[in-house]
Amino acid sequence: MDIQKRIEELALTLPECPVPLAAYVPATRFGDTIVVSGQLPSVKGNFSAYCGTVPSELTVEKATEAARICLLNNIAAAMTQLQHGETLRLVQMQGFVQSASDFHEQPAVLNGASELAVQILGENGKHARTAVGVGALPKNAAVEISCTFQAVPEQVQFAGRMNWIEGNNG
């Protein structure tokens, strides 16, 4: 599966791997497991359009958009850890939504990221998830998401004599 190609087909852009805000790395790998640090809804280093408490300062719709951006940033960071011939399988997503005290729809916000994961990764995008409301997030961001991925071999399918189709998950 060509993740970059699938993202382009969805009329999205895979960002550059986000630069850490402090003393940590964007992603680390051990064995076939890739753990990505919490990602904010940063677009080219700017996340000012996605700041504030949901829903009092930022709408649920805007927060859902922020969650989608967080996922793209997670994928960008995870892809820096892939080796040739590998693709990603999303194992777990941990999502945090800066929430007003009476807001209880954090799962709805994170569905933006969960649904996008399946659109991009297909079956490899189905995952376990945690959705938590919090009082504050770094830089006043409305959403922060951290993902755990598995690096899996890209499947190669035989499509007839002398005709291999690479990277097709069928």
Side-chain angles (χ1 to χ4, degrees):
M1 166 189 307
D2 186 338
I3 294 170
Q4 176 70 38
K5 181 179 176 185
R6 182 65 187 135
I7 289 171
E8 290 171 5
E9 288 171 356
L10 293 168
L12 299 170
T13 302
L14 183 66
E16 299 269 331
C17 179
V19 176
L21 298 176
Y24 59 90
V25 294
T28 188
R29 178 175 174 159
F30 58 98
D32 65 354
T33 302
I34 300 170
V35 179
V36 179
S37 298
Q39 297 296 317
L40 301 177
S42 170
V43 178
K44 297 181 180 178
N46 182 359
F47 44 84
S48 60
Y50 304 102
C51 289
T53 302
V54 180
S56 56
E57 298 174 314
L58 195 71
T59 66
V60 172
E61 294 77 21
K62 198 77 168 161
T64 301
E65 185 180 319
R68 292 169 56 93
I69 294 168
C70 290
L71 174 71
L72 288 171
N73 288 336
N74 268 269
I75 290 172
M79 287 181 67
T80 67
Q81 301 297 309
L82 289 178
Q83 298 171 9
H84 180 73
E86 292 180 330
T87 191
L88 296 173
R89 176 179 165 265
L90 180 56
V91 176
Q92 183 185 31
M93 178 185 297
Q94 295 179 335
F96 306 91
V97 180
Q98 185 176 185
S99 303
S101 62
D102 61 346
F103 181 68
H104 306 287
E105 299 303 320
Q106 293 82 9
V109 169
L110 293 177
N111 275 347
S114 290
E115 291 167 358
L116 183 59
V118 174
Q119 289 178 319
I120 294 170
L121 301 172
E123 285 296 311
N124 284 353
K126 294 181 178 178
H127 56 279
R129 185 180 81 186
T130 302
V132 179
V134 296
L137 285 171
K139 303 294 185 181
N140 196 32
V143 181
E144 180 175 6
I145 293 177
S146 175
C147 292
T148 302
F149 293 91
Q150 178 184 19
V152 295
E154 288 184 305
Q155 294 181 350
V156 177
Q157 291 187 334
F158 184 66
R161 185 178 172 152
M162 307 291 287
N163 185 15
W164 287 91
I165 300 174
E166 295 186 30
N168 185 347
N169 285 331

